[in-house]
Amino acid sequence: MTKAFDNYEVWFVTGAQLLYGGDAVVQVDGHSTKMVDGMNESGLLPVKVVYKGTANSSEEVSQVMGAAQADPRCVGVITWMHTFSPAKMWIHGLQKLSKPLLHFHTQFNEEIPWDTMDMDFMNLNQSAHGDREFGHILARMRKNHKTVVGYWKDPATLGHIAVWERVAAAWADAQDMRIIRFGDQMNNVAVTDGDKVEAEMRLGYHVDYMPFSDVLCYFDAVKDEDVDGLVKEYFTLYDHAPALEDSGSLEYRKVWNSAKAELTLRAVLKDKGAKGFTTNFDDLGDYNVEKTGHGFDQIPGLASQRLMAEGYGFGAEGDWKSAALCRTVWFMTQGLEGGCSFLEDYTLNFAGGKSSILQAHMLEVCPLIASARPKLEVHHLGIGIRKTPTARLVFTSKVGCGVTATVVDMGGRFRLVVNDVQCIEPKPLPKLPVASALWIPMPSFEVGAGAWIMAGGTHHSCFSYDITPEYWEDYAEIADIEYLHIDKDTTIESFKKDLRMNEVYYLLNKALK
Ligand code: MN
């Protein structure tokens, strides 16, 4: 299991009361300890579960929830009612907790001990009604949470907890996430823009702008020998034509320039403690860079590809929402094998039942989704203010199922749009030397693309082979934002109803809380 989440823990709090005497609570405590140990030893949970004892009164609940809220290691709380725990005693504590909450409806005993069961056994094993009492207060308080139902040793049950743990950890990661924008939104683009103040209030992350004059200070500080070293590293990591290594060639110089751009961006991001960034092909430094050498000679595409693979969130053309979501996807899938990337709906391919969408970008696709070792190539790039060759990693994505997602600002609320997609084998694109994926959106090209467009979804999205829609459902629940999922069962008729219903729901939602 990955070490990525070692700095985090989730707390496990068992609800009980003193009505049944101290002995009962001692047993509740013992059972809870065994359960938490068993969950940790299962190897199925990426974040360690820490048992915090029984809560038997309003004061005890308040104390433990206040402590959970204050402890930076704690990314969420799991509650379980082993006995009946009168839920008014949870009100004040739950009011203190704004971290992710999971209500676990399980039972210490797997099956009823038919031959020996008596009233004492029932008094202890009361989850069947204790968890309903607790569920009521969550419903009554309109408290966002995830409910997981199942036996605590069942791998399927633990799988639901594992998903929530990953999302809760990524949520914690987003609360001090800083996104640096190198340049603004591409002029006039609506869908990638939005309310950055609301984003910080609602989603946690902070978006800053950095003028290119400041970037140039970092650019000037990059040492030539470090650039030389990084270029050598590229040649060991990626397939490439031997001619690229000819240090007198234009191609070599373009690879070298890309390496310098990478070291520049890396230095900025490290210095600023940023977890993601955006670029803009119109904002690259000195306009006369080909002569002065002062600034990026082309968009830092190779740098964006490699930084994404390290976990920096990326959004093109100033798309800070995608940059943040991209980081969150990378963060929550750490240790999983499939890979993730920022992608753009590039070009449609009409082919009957196999109609699909080519996913690519100018250059910036993350090599974590590559089906084979990427190839380092230098080609002309004629978009943006520079029209000059530049380096990039070229590959096609793996074949298989995945999920893509985007967040759009609807004015008054954020909307998370999620689509299950199937990546299929592309045909060669000899005249388009960029990384790409080719997918069919579920349930079909027509309905999948149609629903996404009706929801106002972006042409940019954050794709992963590893995550399931359950991740996004948990994320939307924690963030308290709108969630729209387009899957194999979606019809345009039902989707339109969802859009209309959500419009009403979100108008009334604030009044209800
Ligand atoms: Mn784009």
Side-chain angles (χ1 to χ4, degrees):
M1 185 55 69
T2 173
K3 300 280 179 201
F5 303 107
D6 279 0
N7 292 330
Y8 293 133
E9 55 195 40
V10 300
W11 288 14
F12 191 103
V13 180
T14 304
Q17 62 171 323
L18 298 172
L19 178 71
Y20 313 107
D23 288 352
V25 172
V26 169
Q27 280 198 65
V28 167
D29 203 51
H31 287 172
S32 302
T33 302
K34 274 188 188 155
M35 274 174 55
V36 170
D37 288 348
M39 289 164 70
N40 283 323
E41 285 157 13
S42 73
L44 297 172
L45 298 184
V47 180
K48 187 184 178 195
V49 183
V50 178
Y51 177 50
K52 286 291 169 177
T54 61
N56 301 294
S57 65
S58 181
E59 292 71 26
E60 287 179 21
V61 171
S62 271
Q63 195 277 328
V64 71
M65 291 300 182
Q69 188 64 33
D71 191 325
R73 286 166 305 174
C74 173
V75 298
V77 177
I78 299 174
T79 52
W80 170 57
M81 306 302 122
H82 192 7
T83 66
F84 196 81
S85 178
K88 285 180 195 168
M89 74 184 214
W90 288 84
I91 292 172
H92 295 300
L94 289 172
Q95 283 172 331
K96 286 185 179 173
L97 185 76
S98 67
K99 289 184 177 179
L101 174 67
L102 186 149
H103 179 203
F104 193 14
H105 182 44
T106 190
Q107 185 170 275
F108 182 70
N109 263 64
E110 186 169 17
E111 292 182 7
I112 291 171
W114 298 100
D115 296 335
T116 59
M117 172 153 171
D118 56 14
M119 197 61 84
D120 284 347
F121 181 89
M122 193 284 297
N123 272 341
L124 188 63
N125 293 273
Q126 292 188 47
S127 311
H129 54 284
D131 274 327
R132 293 187 186 222
E133 167 73 359
F134 184 73
H136 170 77
I137 206 65
L138 295 178
R140 175 67 181 81
M141 292 173 71
R142 276 88 179 170
K143 184 83 182 165
N144 285 38
H145 66 283
K146 179 177 191 173
T147 305
V148 172
V149 181
Y151 188 53
W152 58 277
K153 286 182 182 171
D154 182 351
T157 306
L158 293 172
H160 294 300
I161 296 175
V163 167
W164 174 82
E165 282 192 337
R166 285 180 174 276
V167 179
W171 181 253
D173 175 69
Q175 302 315 298
D176 70 347
M177 185 195 293
R178 189 175 188 187
I179 304 292
I180 303 275
R181 307 171 78 213
F182 302 110
D184 200 346
Q185 231 74 23
M186 182 178 161
N187 278 339
N188 269 317
V189 175
V191 74
T192 59
D193 216 338
D195 185 338
K196 295 195 281 291
V197 177
E198 183 68 17
E200 186 154 353
M201 287 163 58
R202 174 68 57 187
L203 301 168
Y205 55 82
H206 176 77
V207 183
D208 269 336
Y209 154 71
M210 188 177 217
F212 218 88
S213 51
D214 285 0
V215 177
L216 286 175
C217 298
Y218 292 85
F219 180 85
D220 291 341
V222 173
K223 295 192 181 80
D224 283 359
E225 56 263 38
D226 292 340
V227 183
D228 296 340
L230 185 56
V231 170
K232 277 200 189 103
E233 195 183 319
Y234 291 168
F235 291 148
T236 62
L237 285 173
Y238 309 117
D239 289 347
H240 59 280
L244 232 55
E245 294 195 40
D246 173 3
S247 60
S249 68
L250 172 77
E251 284 75 14
Y252 181 89
R253 185 159 63 83
K254 290 297 178 179
V255 173
W256 198 91
N257 288 350
S258 294
K260 183 159 182 177
E262 177 181 328
L263 292 174
T264 304
L265 292 185
R266 191 187 301 282
V268 173
L269 296 169
K270 201 174 168 206
D271 195 31
K272 300 292 178 189
K275 296 176 178 176
F277 66 103
T278 70
T279 57
N280 183 323
F281 52 67
D282 283 333
D283 205 346
L284 300 171
D286 193 335
Y287 79 97
N288 203 20
V289 69
E290 280 292 321
K291 282 188 180 146
T292 64
H294 203 218
F296 297 168
D297 65 341
Q298 188 44 284
I299 54 165
L302 177 60
S304 299
Q305 290 183 292
R306 284 173 43 82
L307 289 165
M308 243 191 286
E310 280 175 33
Y312 287 104
F314 171 78
E317 295 107 41
D319 185 354
W320 48 273
K321 284 191 268 85
S322 286
L325 206 64
C326 186
R327 161 70 181 193
T328 290
V329 172
W330 177 86
F331 194 89
M332 64 192 183
T333 57
Q334 285 174 95
L336 303 178
E337 299 296 315
C340 55
S341 182
F342 167 88
L343 284 168
E344 175 176 275
D345 296 300
Y346 212 62
T347 305
L348 307 179
N349 187 50
F350 288 106
K354 286 277 175 190
S355 290
S356 57
I357 312 172
L358 183 69
Q359 301 289 319
H361 206 260
M362 276 177 285
L363 303 173
E364 307 93 336
V365 179
C366 178
L368 291 176
I369 65 167
S371 61
R373 195 162 121 119
K375 195 165 181 211
L376 180 66
E377 298 182 22
V378 173
H379 298 281
H380 185 75
L381 182 63
I383 299 173
I385 56 167
R386 312 263 195 262
K387 307 205 186 301
T388 182
T390 192
R392 77 285 306 273
L393 295 176
V394 182
F395 55 85
T396 55
S397 78
K398 288 165 252 196
V399 167
C401 293
V403 171
T404 205
T406 190
V407 170
V408 290
D409 186 341
M410 294 301 291
R413 71 175 184 275
F414 288 110
R415 165 180 284 173
L416 174 67
V417 190
V418 173
N419 195 180
D420 302 2
V421 299
Q422 188 187 3
C423 293
I424 59 174
E425 195 72 50
K427 288 182 185 169
L429 291 161
K431 299 288 189 186
L432 187 74
V434 298
S436 65
L438 183 69
W439 74 41
I440 303 174
M442 295 295 107
S444 64
F445 167 78
E446 290 81 3
V447 176
W452 184 281
I453 287 169
M454 266 190 272
T458 29
H459 54 287
H460 289 166
S461 69
C462 300
F463 168 77
S464 164
Y465 286 105
D466 295 306
I467 68 174
T468 59
E470 185 178 0
Y471 283 75
W472 288 125
E473 194 179 343
D474 288 359
Y475 177 85
E477 180 74 17
I478 290 166
D480 196 20
I481 61 171
E482 183 182 2
Y483 172 61
L484 289 168
H485 177 208
I486 305 161
D487 69 358
K488 64 179 176 46
D489 299 319
T490 297
T491 65
I492 293 296
E493 189 183 1
S494 68
F495 195 73
K496 281 169 99 168
K497 276 183 194 153
D498 287 345
L499 291 175
R500 290 194 200 104
M501 291 292 284
N502 285 2
E503 202 67 17
V504 176
Y505 169 81
Y506 281 96
L507 278 174
L508 296 174
N509 191 36
K510 280 197 177 109
L512 284 169
K513 285 209 171 191

